[in-house]
Every structure is written in structure tokens, then in C-alpha cells.
Amino acid sequence: MSFSVSSLTNYTKENEALLVSSSVLGAKTAALIKSAGNVMVGVKSAETINIMDTDAFFQAGGTCGWNASGTTSFTQRTVTVGKIKVQESLCPKALEAKYLQKALPTGSQYDSIPFEQDYSDRKAKTIASQLETAIWQGDTGSANGNLNKFDGLIKLIGAASGVVDANVSGYVSGAPLTSITATNVIALFDGVYKAIPAKVVSADDMTIFCGVDTFRTYTIALKNANMFNYAFDGKADSEFVLPGTSIKVVAVNGLNGTNDVYAMRLSNLFLGTDLLNEEEKFEIFFAKEADEVRFAAEFKMGVNIAFPDEIVKVAI
């Protein structure tokens, strides 16, 4: 069963880009990756992040001769996208016996609903919310249909070699921690900061990610410790600068309920999708043969990281 509008064709065309933007790139983490310029478009199945690295060995100058040294290496990490579709149909006639009948047009034939804009906005936000969770918690081995379309950052970072584990006594007192509490959360975030590799700790896009639940525990602990000198920059419920540093702590719903904390550069995150292709359809249309209105969305999504050795994790 599904919903639609009387001027459905025009509405769909005019709002298709908005639906795509709000749903696929509207998830907070996806938007942050987009802000770093790391959205890979046109990905049908998988695409590689191509990485070049090089070293430099200083030699004594002032003499003739040639003594080659150093290596330039090329490596790859793969972004594999999941193929996702959302389909819904609702019969407007099912509204006749409810209070919503007042919003229906006169007559017994309906090819639209009067609240298509609200429906479209809510649908786009719901898709974005579910994608936000999948970006972090996605696992192709999961029994959850909303999480098993592609592997998320938690699984990918967990499987990568070189990631710095901050949940050890060298970084956090009393580690390994088995839970995050008001008593240990300040020490935990200080330990994450301490564990960030020196070569990237001063990067202007270095970010510490945590769930909104962990973020609240942290901010309450800071206030209770009378640490009032931290800056919220107008986003008190979602991000602030780690006290004494220039690194942002950002709360994302995708990490809610995990107790995980990650530190990495935004430029180290990559997102793959196929938004520029015709098969990426977000439509609301009247299916005359079924006498119902339908919503259809189809898209691809996948994520990965480029440099595991620049990432710090606390997985509890």
C-alpha cells in the first residue's frame, strides 16, 4: 500500500535531487565525508582507494656519484557498495475510516494523498537515519536487514592492521575498560588523544567520533569536574573541542549503543555510491493497475578507510 500526489510526475522530478541528497548523503557521517571531498560516485560494485606512499633518505652531499635509495609504494583499499532498495505501497482508501478521511479529496478514486511533502520528508530522514547506523555498524553477516547490505566502519576498522588500540593501560588508567562511566570517561578521551599518532595529531581535520550517549556522559563529567573552559561552538548537543586541544569531538547516532570511540582524520574516510546513474530512483507514483500509490528508492552505499595506522579506536 502506498501514497502519492495529484501532480505526481512533476513533483517527483522537482524533488528527486532533494530526496537523494537528504536520504543518501543526509546521514551525518556521510555529510562529514562529503565535506572532506571523499565521496566516490558511479560505483556499481566496488572501487579502490588508490594510495601512494614514499620515503626519503638523506645522503651526504658535496660529492659526485649516484647512490639510489628510497621506495615509492602503491597500495589499495576497496570500497564495496551494497545495493539497497526501499519500496512501499499504501492504499489511500485505507484512510477513509480514520480521521485522515478529512484530508482526502472528494470521490472514491484517489491517485494522490494530501500530505505528500510531509511523507517524502519523513521517508528521506528515516532512510538517512538508518544509513547513518549502517555506515558505522553495517555487517554483511548480520541478520538485521538494515545492517547487512554493506560492511560499516566498526567492522572494517576492527579488521584492519595497524589501528592503534587506546583501551590499554599505556593510554587509559585502569584499562582495558569494560564500560564507559562518568568516572572513567574523561580519562578515556584523554587516552584516545594520547594515542593519536604524532604525525597526524595536529591535522586540522582530526576528529574523535563517539555515540550521542557517550558524548552526553562525557559532557556531564566535564561539567561536574568544573571544566568550564571548553568550547561548544554553538553545537552543544553534538560536538565541541576536546579541552586543551584543537580536535573536535563529534557525536554521531551511528555509534549509539556501541560504547566505541574512534579518532581519525575526515580525509581518511571514503564513501562510495552510484548517485549519478539513472537507476538511482526516488519516486512517488500512482500505479493504476493496482489502484495504489507507490514509493520507490534504489541506491548503492559503501564505506572504507585509507590509512588504518592513522586511526585510534576504543572498542568496549
Side-chain angles (χ1 to χ4, degrees), residues 88-159:
E88 183 177 7
S89 60
L90 288 169
C91 176
K93 294 180 181 180
L95 306 178
E96 290 181 332
K98 308 299 180 181
Y99 75 94
L100 293 164
Q101 63 179 292
K102 298 296 184 182
L104 293 171
T106 56
S108 298
Q109 296 293 322
Y110 312 114
D111 62 0
S112 65
I113 59 169
F115 46 89
E116 74 282 348
Q117 185 66 58
D118 291 338
Y119 170 84
S120 298
D121 291 345
R122 180 62 63 88
K123 181 67 74 173
K125 289 177 181 178
T126 299
I127 293 173
S129 175
Q130 293 174 181
L131 281 175
E132 169 65 25
T133 302
I135 286 171
W136 287 98
Q137 300 183 38
D139 183 347
T140 53
S142 172
N144 186 326
N146 283 348
L147 296 179
N148 63 14
K149 300 304 182 288
F150 60 92
D151 287 330
L153 293 170
I154 292 176
K155 181 178 178 180
L156 293 166
I157 292 172

Coordinates of all heavy atoms in Angstrom, one line a residue, residues 88-159:
E88 N 7.5 0.9 -1.0 CA 6.4 1.0 -0.1 C 5.1 1.3 -1.0 O 5.2 2.1 -1.9 CB 6.5 2.0 1.0 CG 5.3 2.0 1.9 CD 5.5 3.0 3.1 OE1 6.5 3.8 3.1 OE2 4.7 3.0 4.0
S89 N 4.0 0.7 -0.7 CA 2.8 1.0 -1.3 C 1.7 1.1 -0.2 O 1.6 0.3 0.7 CB 2.4 -0.1 -2.4 OG 2.2 -1.3 -1.7
L90 N 0.9 2.1 -0.4 CA -0.2 2.4 0.6 C -1.5 2.7 -0.2 O -1.4 3.6 -1.1 CB 0.1 3.5 1.6 CG 1.2 3.1 2.6 CD1 1.6 4.3 3.4 CD2 0.6 2.1 3.6
C91 N -2.6 2.1 0.2 CA -3.8 2.4 -0.5 C -4.5 3.6 0.2 O -4.9 3.4 1.4 CB -4.7 1.1 -0.4 SG -6.4 1.4 -1.1
P92 N -4.7 4.7 -0.5 CA -5.4 5.8 0.2 C -6.8 5.5 0.7 O -7.3 6.1 1.7 CB -5.5 6.9 -1.0 CG -4.3 6.5 -1.9 CD -4.3 5.0 -1.8
K93 N -7.4 4.5 0.1 CA -8.8 4.1 0.6 C -8.8 3.6 2.0 O -9.8 3.6 2.7 CB -9.4 3.0 -0.4 CG -9.6 3.6 -1.8 CD -10.2 2.5 -2.7 CE -10.4 3.1 -4.1 NZ -11.0 2.0 -5.0
A94 N -7.6 3.1 2.5 CA -7.5 2.6 3.9 C -7.6 3.8 4.9 O -7.8 3.5 6.1 CB -6.2 1.9 4.1
L95 N -7.6 5.0 4.4 CA -7.7 6.2 5.3 C -9.1 6.6 5.5 O -9.4 7.5 6.3 CB -6.9 7.3 4.7 CG -5.4 7.1 4.4 CD1 -4.7 8.3 3.8 CD2 -4.6 6.6 5.6
E96 N -10.0 6.1 4.7 CA -11.4 6.6 4.7 C -12.1 6.4 6.0 O -12.9 7.2 6.4 CB -12.2 5.9 3.6 CG -11.8 6.3 2.2 CD -12.7 5.6 1.1 OE1 -13.2 4.5 1.4 OE2 -12.8 6.2 0.0
A97 N -11.7 5.3 6.8 CA -12.4 5.0 8.0 C -11.7 5.7 9.2 O -12.2 5.5 10.4 CB -12.5 3.5 8.2
K98 N -10.7 6.4 9.0 CA -9.9 7.1 10.0 C -10.1 8.6 10.0 O -10.7 9.1 9.0 CB -8.4 6.7 9.9 CG -8.2 5.2 9.8 CD -8.7 4.4 11.1 CE -8.5 2.9 11.0 NZ -9.0 2.2 12.1
Y99 N -9.5 9.3 10.9 CA -9.6 10.7 11.0 C -9.0 11.4 9.7 O -9.3 12.5 9.3 CB -8.9 11.3 12.2 CG -7.4 11.3 12.2 CD1 -6.7 12.4 11.8 CD2 -6.7 10.2 12.6 CE1 -5.3 12.4 11.7 CE2 -5.3 10.2 12.6 CZ -4.6 11.3 12.2 OH -3.3 11.3 12.1
L100 N -8.1 10.6 9.0 CA -7.4 11.2 7.8 C -8.4 11.3 6.7 O -8.0 11.9 5.6 CB -6.3 10.2 7.5 CG -5.1 10.2 8.5 CD1 -4.2 9.0 8.2 CD2 -4.3 11.5 8.4
Q101 N -9.6 10.8 6.8 CA -10.6 10.9 5.7 C -10.8 12.4 5.4 O -11.1 12.7 4.2 CB -11.9 10.2 6.1 CG -12.6 10.9 7.3 CD -13.9 10.2 7.6 OE1 -14.9 10.3 6.9 NE2 -14.0 9.5 8.8
K102 N -10.7 13.3 6.3 CA -11.0 14.7 6.1 C -10.0 15.3 5.2 O -10.2 16.3 4.6 CB -10.9 15.4 7.5 CG -12.0 15.0 8.5 CD -13.4 15.3 8.0 CE -14.4 14.9 9.0 NZ -15.8 15.1 8.5
A103 N -8.8 14.6 5.0 CA -7.8 15.2 4.1 C -7.8 14.6 2.7 O -7.2 15.1 1.8 CB -6.4 14.9 4.7
L104 N -8.7 13.6 2.5 CA -8.8 13.0 1.2 C -9.7 13.9 0.3 O -10.6 14.5 0.8 CB -9.4 11.6 1.3 CG -8.6 10.5 2.0 CD1 -9.4 9.3 2.3 CD2 -7.3 10.2 1.2
P105 N -9.4 13.8 -1.0 CA -10.3 14.6 -1.9 C -11.6 13.9 -2.1 O -11.8 12.8 -1.7 CB -9.5 14.5 -3.3 CG -8.6 13.3 -3.1 CD -8.3 13.2 -1.7
T106 N -12.6 14.6 -2.6 CA -13.9 14.0 -2.8 C -13.9 13.0 -3.9 O -13.0 13.0 -4.7 CB -14.9 15.1 -3.2 OG1 -14.4 15.8 -4.4 CG2 -15.1 16.2 -2.1
G107 N -14.8 12.0 -3.8 CA -14.9 10.9 -4.7 C -14.3 9.7 -4.1 O -13.8 9.7 -3.0
S108 N -14.3 8.6 -4.9 CA -13.8 7.3 -4.5 C -12.6 6.9 -5.2 O -12.1 5.8 -4.9 CB -14.9 6.3 -4.7 OG -16.1 6.6 -3.9
Q109 N -12.1 7.7 -6.1 CA -10.8 7.3 -6.8 C -9.7 8.3 -6.3 O -9.9 9.5 -6.4 CB -11.0 7.4 -8.3 CG -12.1 6.5 -8.9 CD -11.6 5.0 -8.8 OE1 -10.4 4.7 -8.9 NE2 -12.5 4.1 -8.5
Y110 N -8.7 7.7 -5.8 CA -7.5 8.5 -5.3 C -6.2 8.2 -6.1 O -5.9 7.0 -6.1 CB -7.3 8.3 -3.8 CG -8.6 8.4 -3.0 CD1 -9.1 7.2 -2.4 CD2 -9.3 9.6 -2.9 CE1 -10.2 7.3 -1.6 CE2 -10.5 9.6 -2.1 CZ -10.9 8.5 -1.5 OH -12.1 8.5 -0.8
D111 N -5.6 9.1 -6.6 CA -4.3 8.9 -7.2 C -3.2 9.7 -6.5 O -2.1 9.9 -7.0 CB -4.3 9.2 -8.7 CG -4.6 10.7 -9.0 OD1 -4.9 11.4 -8.1 OD2 -4.7 11.0 -10.2
S112 N -3.6 10.2 -5.3 CA -2.6 11.1 -4.6 C -3.1 11.1 -3.1 O -4.2 10.7 -2.8 CB -2.6 12.5 -5.2 OG -3.8 13.1 -5.0
I113 N -2.2 11.7 -2.3 CA -2.6 12.0 -0.9 C -2.3 13.5 -0.6 O -1.4 14.1 -1.3 CB -1.8 11.1 0.1 CG1 -0.3 11.3 -0.1 CG2 -2.2 9.7 -0.1 CD1 0.5 10.6 1.0
P114 N -2.9 14.1 0.3 CA -2.7 15.5 0.6 C -1.5 15.9 1.3 O -1.1 17.0 1.5 CB -4.0 15.9 1.3 CG -4.4 14.6 2.1 CD -4.0 13.5 1.1
F115 N -0.8 14.9 1.9 CA 0.4 15.2 2.7 C 1.7 14.6 2.1 O 2.5 14.1 2.9 CB 0.2 14.7 4.2 CG -0.3 13.3 4.3 CD1 0.5 12.2 4.4 CD2 -1.7 13.1 4.4 CE1 0.0 10.9 4.5 CE2 -2.2 11.8 4.5 CZ -1.3 10.7 4.6
E116 N 1.8 14.6 0.8 CA 3.0 14.0 0.2 C 4.3 14.7 0.6 O 5.3 14.0 0.7 CB 2.8 14.0 -1.4 CG 3.0 15.4 -2.0 CD 1.8 16.3 -1.9 OE1 0.7 15.8 -1.5 OE2 2.0 17.5 -2.2
Q117 N 4.3 16.0 0.8 CA 5.5 16.6 1.2 C 6.0 16.1 2.6 O 7.2 15.8 2.7 CB 5.4 18.1 1.2 CG 6.7 18.9 1.5 CD 7.7 18.8 0.4 OE1 7.4 19.1 -0.8 NE2 8.9 18.3 0.7
D118 N 5.1 16.0 3.5 CA 5.5 15.5 4.8 C 5.9 14.1 4.8 O 6.9 13.7 5.4 CB 4.3 15.6 5.8 CG 3.9 17.1 6.1 OD1 4.8 17.9 6.0 OD2 2.8 17.3 6.5
Y119 N 5.2 13.3 4.0 CA 5.6 11.9 3.8 C 7.0 11.8 3.2 O 7.8 11.0 3.7 CB 4.6 11.2 2.9 CG 5.0 9.8 2.5 CD1 4.8 8.7 3.3 CD2 5.7 9.6 1.2 CE1 5.2 7.4 2.9 CE2 6.1 8.3 0.8 CZ 5.8 7.3 1.7 OH 6.2 6.0 1.3
S120 N 7.3 12.5 2.1 CA 8.6 12.5 1.5 C 9.7 12.9 2.4 O 10.8 12.3 2.5 CB 8.6 13.4 0.2 OG 7.6 12.9 -0.7
D121 N 9.5 14.0 3.2 CA 10.5 14.5 4.1 C 10.8 13.4 5.2 O 11.9 13.1 5.5 CB 10.0 15.8 4.8 CG 10.0 16.9 3.8 OD1 10.6 16.8 2.7 OD2 9.4 18.0 4.1
R122 N 9.7 12.8 5.7 CA 9.9 11.8 6.8 C 10.6 10.6 6.2 O 11.4 10.0 6.9 CB 8.5 11.5 7.4 CG 8.6 10.4 8.5 CD 9.5 11.0 9.7 NE 8.9 12.1 10.3 CZ 8.0 12.1 11.3 NH1 7.6 11.0 11.7 NH2 7.6 13.2 11.8
K123 N 10.2 10.2 5.0 CA 10.8 9.0 4.4 C 12.3 9.2 4.2 O 13.1 8.3 4.5 CB 10.1 8.6 3.1 CG 10.7 7.4 2.4 CD 10.4 6.1 3.2 CE 8.9 5.7 3.1 NZ 8.6 4.4 3.7
A124 N 12.6 10.4 3.7 CA 14.1 10.7 3.4 C 14.9 10.7 4.7 O 16.0 10.2 4.8 CB 14.2 12.0 2.7
K125 N 14.3 11.3 5.8 CA 15.0 11.3 7.0 C 15.1 10.0 7.7 O 16.2 9.7 8.3 CB 14.3 12.3 8.0 CG 14.4 13.8 7.6 CD 13.6 14.6 8.5 CE 13.6 16.1 8.1 NZ 12.8 17.0 9.0
T126 N 14.1 9.1 7.5 CA 14.2 7.8 8.0 C 15.3 6.9 7.3 O 16.1 6.2 8.0 CB 12.8 7.1 7.9 OG1 11.9 7.8 8.6 CG2 12.9 5.6 8.4
I127 N 15.3 7.1 6.0 CA 16.4 6.4 5.3 C 17.8 6.9 5.7 O 18.7 6.1 5.9 CB 16.2 6.6 3.7 CG1 14.9 5.9 3.3 CG2 17.4 6.0 3.0 CD1 14.6 6.1 1.8
A128 N 17.9 8.2 5.8 CA 19.2 8.8 6.3 C 19.6 8.3 7.6 O 20.7 8.0 7.9 CB 19.1 10.3 6.3
S129 N 18.6 8.2 8.5 CA 18.9 7.7 9.9 C 19.4 6.3 9.9 O 20.3 5.9 10.6 CB 17.6 7.8 10.8 OG 17.9 7.3 12.0
Q130 N 18.7 5.4 9.1 CA 19.1 4.0 9.0 C 20.5 3.9 8.3 O 21.3 3.0 8.7 CB 18.0 3.2 8.3 CG 16.8 3.2 9.2 CD 15.6 2.5 8.5 OE1 14.5 2.4 9.0 NE2 15.8 2.1 7.2
L131 N 20.8 4.7 7.4 CA 22.1 4.7 6.7 C 23.2 5.1 7.7 O 24.3 4.6 7.6 CB 22.1 5.5 5.4 CG 21.4 4.9 4.2 CD1 21.4 6.0 3.1 CD2 22.2 3.7 3.8
E132 N 22.9 6.1 8.5 CA 23.9 6.6 9.5 C 24.3 5.4 10.4 O 25.5 5.2 10.6 CB 23.3 7.7 10.3 CG 24.1 8.1 11.6 CD 25.4 8.7 11.2 OE1 25.6 9.2 10.1 OE2 26.3 8.6 12.1
T133 N 23.3 4.6 10.8 CA 23.7 3.5 11.7 C 24.5 2.4 10.9 O 25.5 1.9 11.4 CB 22.4 2.8 12.2 OG1 21.7 3.8 13.0 CG2 22.7 1.6 13.1
A134 N 24.1 2.2 9.6 CA 24.7 1.2 8.8 C 26.2 1.6 8.5 O 27.1 0.7 8.3 CB 24.0 0.9 7.5
I135 N 26.4 2.9 8.3 CA 27.8 3.4 8.0 C 28.8 2.9 9.0 O 29.9 2.6 8.7 CB 27.8 4.9 7.8 CG1 27.1 5.2 6.4 CG2 29.2 5.5 7.8 CD1 26.9 6.7 6.2
W136 N 28.3 2.9 10.3 CA 29.2 2.5 11.4 C 29.0 1.0 11.7 O 30.0 0.3 11.9 CB 28.9 3.4 12.6 CG 29.4 4.8 12.5 CD1 28.7 5.9 12.1 CD2 30.8 5.2 12.7 NE1 29.6 7.0 12.1 CE2 30.8 6.6 12.4 CE3 32.0 4.5 13.1 CZ2 32.0 7.3 12.6 CZ3 33.1 5.3 13.2 CH2 33.1 6.6 12.9
Q137 N 27.8 0.6 11.8 CA 27.5 -0.8 12.4 C 27.2 -1.8 11.3 O 26.9 -3.0 11.7 CB 26.4 -0.7 13.4 CG 26.6 0.2 14.6 CD 25.5 0.2 15.6 OE1 24.9 -0.8 15.9 NE2 25.2 1.4 16.1
G138 N 27.3 -1.5 10.1 CA 27.0 -2.4 9.0 C 27.8 -3.6 9.0 O 29.0 -3.6 9.4
D139 N 27.2 -4.8 8.7 CA 27.9 -6.1 8.7 C 27.2 -7.0 7.8 O 26.0 -7.4 8.1 CB 28.0 -6.6 10.2 CG 28.8 -7.9 10.3 OD1 29.1 -8.5 9.2 OD2 29.1 -8.4 11.4
T140 N 27.8 -7.4 6.7 CA 27.2 -8.2 5.7 C 26.8 -9.6 6.3 O 26.0 -10.3 5.7 CB 28.0 -8.4 4.5 OG1 29.3 -8.9 4.9 CG2 28.2 -7.1 3.7
G141 N 27.3 -9.9 7.5 CA 27.0 -11.2 8.1 C 25.8 -11.0 9.1 O 25.4 -12.0 9.8
S142 N 25.3 -9.8 9.3 CA 24.3 -9.6 10.3 C 22.9 -10.2 9.8 O 22.6 -10.2 8.6 CB 24.1 -8.1 10.5 OG 23.0 -7.8 11.3
A143 N 22.1 -10.5 10.8 CA 20.7 -11.0 10.5 C 19.8 -9.8 10.3 O 18.6 -10.0 9.9 CB 20.2 -11.9 11.6
N144 N 20.2 -8.6 10.6 CA 19.4 -7.4 10.5 C 19.5 -6.9 9.1 O 20.5 -6.5 8.6 CB 20.0 -6.3 11.5 CG 19.1 -5.1 11.5 OD1 18.5 -4.7 10.6 ND2 19.1 -4.5 12.7
G145 N 18.3 -6.8 8.5 CA 18.2 -6.4 7.1 C 18.7 -5.0 6.8 O 19.1 -4.7 5.7
N146 N 18.6 -4.2 7.8 CA 19.0 -2.8 7.6 C 20.5 -2.6 7.8 O 21.1 -1.5 7.5 CB 18.3 -1.8 8.6 CG 16.9 -1.6 8.1 OD1 16.5 -1.9 7.0 ND2 16.1 -1.0 9.0
L147 N 21.2 -3.7 8.3 CA 22.6 -3.6 8.5 C 23.5 -4.5 7.7 O 24.7 -4.4 7.6 CB 22.9 -3.9 10.0 CG 22.4 -3.0 11.1 CD1 22.7 -3.5 12.5 CD2 22.9 -1.6 10.9
N148 N 22.9 -5.4 6.9 CA 23.7 -6.4 6.2 C 23.9 -6.2 4.7 O 24.3 -7.0 4.0 CB 23.1 -7.8 6.4 CG 21.7 -8.0 5.8 OD1 21.2 -7.1 5.0 ND2 20.9 -9.0 6.2
K149 N 23.7 -4.9 4.3 CA 23.9 -4.6 2.9 C 25.3 -4.2 2.6 O 25.7 -4.4 1.4 CB 22.9 -3.5 2.5 CG 21.4 -3.8 2.7 CD 21.0 -5.1 2.0 CE 19.5 -5.4 2.1 NZ 19.2 -5.9 3.5
F150 N 26.1 -3.7 3.5 CA 27.5 -3.4 3.3 C 28.2 -3.4 4.7 O 27.5 -3.2 5.7 CB 27.7 -2.1 2.6 CG 27.1 -0.9 3.3 CD1 27.9 -0.1 4.1 CD2 25.8 -0.5 3.0 CE1 27.4 1.0 4.8 CE2 25.3 0.6 3.7 CZ 26.1 1.4 4.5
D151 N 29.5 -3.6 4.7 CA 30.2 -3.5 6.0 C 30.5 -2.1 6.4 O 30.8 -1.2 5.6 CB 31.6 -4.2 5.8 CG 31.4 -5.8 5.7 OD1 30.4 -6.3 6.3 OD2 32.2 -6.4 5.1
G152 N 30.3 -1.8 7.7 CA 30.4 -0.5 8.2 C 31.8 -0.3 8.8 O 32.7 -1.1 8.8
L153 N 32.1 0.9 9.3 CA 33.4 1.3 9.7 C 33.9 0.5 10.9 O 35.1 0.3 11.1 CB 33.4 2.8 10.1 CG 33.2 3.8 8.8 CD1 32.9 5.2 9.3 CD2 34.4 3.7 7.9
I154 N 32.9 0.2 11.8 CA 33.4 -0.6 13.0 C 34.0 -1.9 12.6 O 35.1 -2.3 13.0 CB 32.2 -0.9 13.9 CG1 31.7 0.5 14.6 CG2 32.6 -1.9 15.0 CD1 30.5 0.3 15.5
K155 N 33.3 -2.6 11.7 CA 33.9 -3.9 11.2 C 35.1 -3.7 10.4 O 36.1 -4.5 10.6 CB 32.8 -4.6 10.4 CG 33.3 -6.0 9.8 CD 32.2 -6.7 9.1 CE 32.6 -8.0 8.5 NZ 31.6 -8.7 7.7
L156 N 35.2 -2.7 9.5 CA 36.3 -2.5 8.7 C 37.5 -2.1 9.5 O 38.7 -2.6 9.2 CB 36.0 -1.4 7.6 CG 34.9 -1.9 6.6 CD1 34.4 -0.7 5.8 CD2 35.5 -2.9 5.6
I157 N 37.4 -1.2 10.4 CA 38.5 -0.7 11.2 C 38.9 -1.9 12.1 O 40.1 -2.1 12.4 CB 38.1 0.5 12.1 CG1 37.9 1.7 11.2 CG2 39.1 0.8 13.1 CD1 37.3 2.9 11.9
G158 N 38.0 -2.7 12.6 CA 38.3 -3.8 13.5 C 39.2 -4.8 12.8 O 40.0 -5.5 13.4
A159 N 39.0 -5.0 11.5 CA 39.7 -6.0 10.7 C 41.0 -5.5 10.1 O 41.8 -6.3 9.6 CB 38.8 -6.5 9.6

